[in-house]
Amino acid sequence: MTRQLPRQLEAYRDLLNETELNQLLESINQPLPSGLRTNPLKASVNAPQAWQQQYGWQLEQVPFCQTGWQLRNEVGNLSRTVEHQMGHYYIQDAASMLPVELFELQPEAEPSVLDLTAAPGGKTTHIISQFEDRGLVVANDSNLQRIAGLKGNIQRWGSTSAVITNQPGERMGRWLPEQFDYVLLDAPCSGEALRTSERHTSRLVSSHERNTLQQRQIKLLESALQAARPNGHVVYSTCSLAPEEDEAVLDALLKRYPEQIQIMSIPANVPIEAPGLLAAGSQNYDPSIANALRLWPHLYNTAGFFAALIVKRDQIATPNLERPQQTLAKAGYKAVTNEEQRQILDTLHAVYGFDLRQILTTKGLSLWRNGKTIQAIPERWLSNFEQFPFVSAGIQVGKLSRHGFQPAHDLASRYAEQFSQQQLTISDQQLDDWLARRDLVIKTSQYPNGSVVVVRDQQQRYLGLGQIDGNSLENLLPHWQ
Ligand SMILES: C[S@@+](CC[C@H](N)C(=O)[O-])C[C@H]1O[C@@H](n2cnc3c(N)ncnc32)[C@H](O)[C@@H]1O
């Protein structure tokens, strides 16, 4: 007699043997362990050990992600720590750490990377780590409401190499053909991850919705392939295990471009066994799809996930589509003058002990002014993607007004160790108020009124910038904190 399965699992009955089906059933009722991924731009390799001691976390490394950790104990809200607010880690389910691990950085490379559907930026922050914040990362999303979250997460991560665009992903490949060494398509999907969590609730997906999603996924993947350079790598991923959104999408593109694309076997740094399906229902798929990763929830104690690494062997004929254009001047930017640049570099050096000049040179950034805001923008973006509209680019450096130059939290947070002067230490009792963005009462005669200081706690952790105003320390933490 056929046994009764939860309705959302019915479609999976024939894809697994009896033992696997039992394991799956058992796993989906287990609570999903919390996960976090550390930020190598800010956190040292020993940071997870220190957090274990400080916060009582029991951390276990994710087998396919060196910077990824799962919690073995229940510890409540992971976002309430200093380190989270300062961008030392990103809270992420372990399964979502899989796709970016499929990209391998060549030594000395300065890659150009496109994250086609990026918001809220979980995978973009991972890309930035994986590529050591080198080269250029274009993070795109068509949904303007979700762009604010993406921007906040990239700022918190401290990246200098990221540019955010707000465009329909389907067109990016025709607007920017063969421009990128790596392209991630973490596609919009039904979210049928089988194991429910706060973010993924279980629901039934109609065949009409599934079909609409599949058509969009195919169009987006075609665009991702167009945007990749010959020999470029494209990762396709979803947080759904429905074969229609996974293997079937790859199969459609393999049929369209049999000579130009190939599904690659998984790199050695991802030591997991989770092959893609060769058939589902009446559909047979291309045999190379076995190289994809179908992460069933019971395999590694994660939510369900799917990812495949595709190499673009050869050019794809791409119809020309005229790009949207916006000059920097129209977007409100003008290059800083030599005098302004000197003032910014000198203040950072003399007051904070920080050498911005060297960072501009090594990272290929130039300074631009938008009103009072000074932004360091990747020159590579300006030269290769001239006049392509963007939401934000590079890193905020500070504000310049007739009162002088004031550094930005984004810069000070990213390079906190190098901001070696103009420090103020607050007490442990003041910490919660400060992190809640409240001003503090302080007694110090160390700095003149109006000074902007680097605030640290008793453990010397960077906590943001503050401005001295009599007996008050004005809290300059940005509102996205
Ligand atoms: C699965 S989510 C991406 C999650 C993200 N990669 C992360 O790790 O944080 C899919 C995203 O695709 C975006 N999206 C949906 N349709 C799109 C389209 N046609 N072009 C670009 N982005 C699209 C959605 O707004 C959503 O943010």
Side-chain angles (χ1 to χ4, degrees):
M1 197 179 85
T2 324
R3 101 178 123 137
Q4 198 73 36
L5 287 179
R7 273 177 77 196
Q8 78 272 22
L9 287 191
E10 263 310 324
Y12 296 86
R13 184 191 290 276
D14 297 334
L15 303 179
L16 293 167
N17 64 32
E18 191 63 19
T19 316
E20 292 165 333
L21 202 56
N22 282 334
Q23 289 169 340
L24 176 65
L25 274 172
E26 201 178 310
S27 78
I28 61 173
N29 293 319
Q30 304 292 325
L32 194 58
S34 306
L36 61 89
R37 190 169 36 71
T38 58
N39 181 357
L41 302 178
K42 294 186 175 183
S44 75
V45 280
N46 299 325
Q49 281 73 36
W51 301 336
Q52 299 209 86
Q53 290 203 338
Q54 176 139 5
Y55 301 121
W57 299 347
Q58 291 168 18
L59 296 173
E60 187 170 35
Q61 185 141 34
V62 174
F64 46 82
C65 179
Q66 265 201 345
T67 51
W69 302 85
Q70 277 183 312
L71 271 99
R72 270 184 281 139
N73 53 341
E74 201 37 71
V75 293
N77 191 340
L78 285 178
S79 68
R80 295 224 179 92
T81 65
V82 169
E83 287 80 3
H84 183 257
Q85 290 208 33
M86 297 301 142
H88 292 215
Y89 61 86
Y90 190 93
I91 300 169
Q92 190 174 46
D93 170 52
S96 298
M97 301 174 192
L98 182 61
V100 176
E101 288 295 319
L102 303 185
F103 289 136
E104 285 177 292
L105 177 64
Q106 303 307 318
E108 310 297 322
E110 296 283 336
S112 54
V113 190
L114 172 63
D115 188 352
L116 196 58
T117 54
K123 316 243 172 15
T124 314
T125 57
H126 195 175
I127 288 171
I128 292 162
S129 307
Q130 187 83 345
F131 293 116
E132 300 170 0
D133 201 27
R134 305 202 315 237
L136 180 72
V137 178
V138 178
N140 177 70
D141 203 280
S142 62
N143 185 333
L144 189 59
Q145 272 91 53
R146 289 170 66 92
I147 291 275
L150 175 64
K151 199 170 162 196
N153 282 327
I154 290 177
Q155 280 182 286
R156 216 192 317 247
W157 211 243
S159 169
T160 59
S161 65
V163 173
I164 297 176
T165 60
N166 176 215
Q167 301 291 348
E170 294 84 343
R171 295 185 176 197
M172 290 290 271
R174 282 170 289 160
W175 283 333
L176 308 173
E178 317 225 304
Q179 291 283 335
F180 295 94
D181 302 303
Y182 302 89
V183 183
L184 172 66
L185 171 58
D186 185 38
C189 68
S190 65
E192 197 163 283
L194 300 186
R195 191 155 167 182
T196 55
S197 68
E198 271 171 41
R199 287 181 51 228
H200 290 284
T201 44
S202 159
R203 66 184 179 94
L204 287 174
V205 179
S206 71
S207 57
H208 173 73
E209 185 189 349
R210 186 89 76 204
N211 196 34
T212 309
L213 279 169
Q214 189 191 63
Q215 292 315 310
R216 190 189 303 156
Q217 288 155 346
I218 290 173
K219 281 194 185 131
L220 285 167
L221 184 51
E222 179 163 50
S223 177
L225 293 166
Q226 290 165 335
R229 285 188 212 295
N231 289 322
H233 285 182
V234 175
V235 165
Y236 176 73
S237 65
T238 73
C239 60
S240 165
L241 285 177
E244 299 90 326
E245 302 180 55
D246 296 334
E247 286 88 348
V249 172
L250 296 179
D251 197 60
L253 270 303
L254 281 167
K255 287 203 166 70
R256 205 171 287 180
Y257 300 113
E259 304 299 327
Q260 294 93 332
I261 65 169
Q262 199 179 336
I263 314 281
M264 302 288 285
S265 50
I266 295 308
N269 62 310
V270 182
I272 64 176
E273 278 281 319
L277 299 170
L278 295 183
S282 58
Q283 302 290 311
N284 287 322
Y285 302 127
D286 187 287
S288 69
I289 291 176
N291 286 338
L293 288 172
R294 164 169 278 274
L295 205 59
W296 293 101
H298 55 274
L299 294 181
Y300 294 93
N301 197 15
T302 63
F305 208 87
F306 183 85
L309 175 64
I310 306 167
V311 64
K312 176 171 169 180
R313 287 269 170 245
D314 206 348
Q315 285 189 324
I316 285 177
T318 302
N320 208 0
L321 190 63
E322 201 180 327
R323 290 182 192 181
Q325 294 213 335
Q326 186 179 42
T327 61
L328 277 170
K330 200 90 199 272
Y333 288 93
K334 55 183 182 187
V336 299
T337 63
N338 288 343
E339 175 51 26
E340 287 169 337
Q341 171 129 344
R342 192 192 52 72
Q343 191 183 356
I344 295 163
L345 296 180
D346 286 357
T347 308
L348 283 169
H349 198 252
V351 181
Y352 299 94
F354 176 65
D355 184 1
L356 179 65
R357 187 188 302 277
Q358 185 239 343
I359 288 184
L360 295 180
T361 310
T362 53
K363 296 199 140 281
L365 300 165
S366 60
L367 293 184
W368 292 78
R369 183 174 182 151
N370 193 335
K372 288 183 186 164
T373 303
I374 304 294
Q375 195 79 16
I377 299 185
E379 281 159 4
R380 180 137 168 215
W381 168 258
L382 299 172
S383 54
N384 292 11
F385 298 88
E386 210 188 353
Q387 302 197 358
F388 196 81
F390 63 94
V391 176
S392 72
I395 192 164
Q396 196 179 325
V397 166
K399 284 198 177 357
L400 190 61
S401 68
R402 61 195 166 82
H403 305 298
F405 174 73
Q406 181 180 311
H409 168 73
D410 294 0
L411 186 75
S413 173
R414 162 72 195 268
Y415 295 106
E417 301 308 314
Q418 296 174 45
F419 271 66
S420 55
Q421 295 165 197
Q422 195 88 343
Q423 317 277 317
L424 188 91
T425 304
I426 62 170
S427 69
D428 287 342
Q429 291 73 33
Q430 293 173 310
L431 188 57
D432 287 346
D433 274 346
W434 179 259
L435 293 176
R437 276 208 309 276
R438 284 194 273 275
D439 297 344
L440 301 181
V441 175
I442 49 148
K443 285 196 186 71
T444 178
S445 51
Q446 210 181 340
Y447 302 109
N449 224 12
S451 302
V452 172
V453 294
V454 178
V455 181
R456 297 192 188 269
D457 70 359
Q458 299 287 323
Q459 299 173 45
Q460 291 307 302
R461 293 180 297 186
Y462 168 85
L463 295 178
L465 298 169
Q467 185 159 30
I468 295 176
D469 180 11
N471 283 342
S472 169
L473 181 65
E474 190 191 338
N475 197 319
L476 300 180
L477 279 174
H479 282 273
W480 48 262
Q481 283 288 316

